[in-house]
Amino acid sequence: MRMLLVEDEKKVSELVARALRAERYAVDVADDGTRGWELASAFDYDLIILDLMLPGVPGEELLRRIRRKNQQVPILILTARDATEEKVHNFEAGADDYLTKPFAFAELIMRVKALLRRGPVTRSSVLRVADLEVDRFSQQVRRAGKRIDLTPKEYALLEYLAANPGRVFSRTMIIEHVWDQSFEGLTNIVDVYVRHLRGKVDDPFPVKLIRTVRGVGYGLAEGPAE
Ligand code: CA
């Protein structure tokens, strides 16, 4: 396993590199963002450890560039910052994990191993059905590029259907996946929500995606309607 460590604080990078090498990983060290980008574009690393506060190309920018080039490589962020908002931001930009300085090497190694064990992942959070896009990370829905505002339940229902386009789900299946145990209503709640969804997702557009299969249930079309 070959790793790239991008960290400008010499002391930290030396110690981290030593801890990783002790685990028999090969480690390349870049001490600024520019060098980090050179190495990240030149080699196919198994994992990248990235400090955010960097001279040259800033860490956030480097993260975005690496992710654009390589969807697969696990990226662990090292930073002194601990603001939740920034973490969320960086997870959205493609970070896989986070470690706030100062950290224990044992924890770093543990996280590195956990990331490597996961292996390559499909990182796209977006489900696509025809011109409908459902982003499972931001929970935003677009159709033909237009943003559609849904209530949380409408969203959950649409996401469930969009994860399996072409498949038909019974009302009972939908209730089991979209509602929780506290739900004691009737299965016609599904019909009500499908109607709401249609009003937002289908009615304004010429091509209808939500399908009703009489006596069976509901699904989303795999392609444009006939
Ligand atoms: Ca730094």
Side-chain angles (χ1 to χ4, degrees):
M1 293 285 176
R2 183 172 178 185
M3 296 172 192
L4 171 63
L5 170 64
V6 189
E7 166 64 81
D8 61 314
E9 283 167 75
K10 270 250 145 46
K11 241 191 203 139
V12 177
S13 71
E14 276 172 18
L15 289 170
V16 170
R18 193 184 304 161
L20 291 169
R21 286 176 188 137
E23 297 292 320
R24 295 158 200 237
Y25 298 123
V27 186
D28 293 345
V29 179
D31 53 16
D32 63 52
T34 313
R35 180 74 184 139
W37 176 234
E38 280 170 17
L39 289 170
S41 2
F43 299 101
D44 187 16
Y45 289 102
D46 298 297
L47 183 119
I48 295 176
I49 301 173
L50 184 59
D51 179 37
L52 282 189
M53 304 275 271
L54 286 171
V57 180
E60 287 91 348
E61 168 63 18
L62 189 53
L63 169 63
R64 246 168 257 120
R65 283 195 203 174
I66 294 170
R67 196 44 90 212
R68 244 177 279 145
K69 174 193 170 250
N70 183 338
Q71 287 289 305
Q72 305 289 330
V73 63
I75 302 176
L76 171 66
I77 298 288
L78 293 184
T79 179
R81 303 175 192 163
D82 194 20
T84 305
E85 214 172 283
E86 273 182 29
K87 282 189 186 176
V88 169
H89 194 73
N90 285 303
F91 276 119
E92 280 176 332
D96 294 284
D97 200 3
Y98 235 98
L99 207 46
T100 305
K101 294 177 187 173
F103 51 84
F105 291 119
E107 185 174 4
L108 173 76
I109 298 295
M110 205 185 67
R111 284 175 190 255
V112 162
K113 287 187 173 168
L115 284 173
L116 290 173
R117 199 168 45 215
R118 265 195 239 163
V121 286
T122 320
R123 207 166 297 275
S124 175
S125 59
V126 181
L127 301 167
R128 284 195 177 80
V129 182
D131 58 352
L132 175 74
E133 293 180 346
V134 179
D135 188 328
R136 286 179 287 186
F137 195 94
S138 63
Q139 304 207 333
Q140 285 190 2
V141 174
R142 285 171 194 279
R143 181 138 188 218
K146 263 186 236 152
R147 173 93 184 265
I148 299 175
D149 287 314
L150 299 178
T151 65
K153 272 286 174 273
E154 289 166 357
Y155 172 82
L157 171 59
L158 184 66
E159 187 196 89
Y160 182 56
L161 299 178
N164 295 280
R167 197 169 151 196
V168 179
F169 297 94
S170 70
R171 290 167 180 79
T172 309
M173 283 166 83
I174 292 173
I175 285 187
E176 279 174 7
H177 286 269
V178 177
W179 276 266
D180 57 34
Q181 279 194 317
S182 64
F183 178 75
E184 287 179 355
L186 298 165
T187 53
N188 71 7
I189 186 85
V190 175
D191 305 320
V192 172
Y193 274 87
V194 167
R195 200 151 61 231
H196 293 170
L197 260 189
R198 278 207 163 106
K200 294 180 178 180
V201 172
D202 271 350
D203 289 354
F205 302 92
V207 175
K208 312 304 174 196
L209 296 175
I210 299 172
R211 297 285 160 80
T212 305
V213 180
R214 222 171 245 286
V216 185
Y218 297 102
L220 271 186
E222 233 164 335
E226 59 278 356

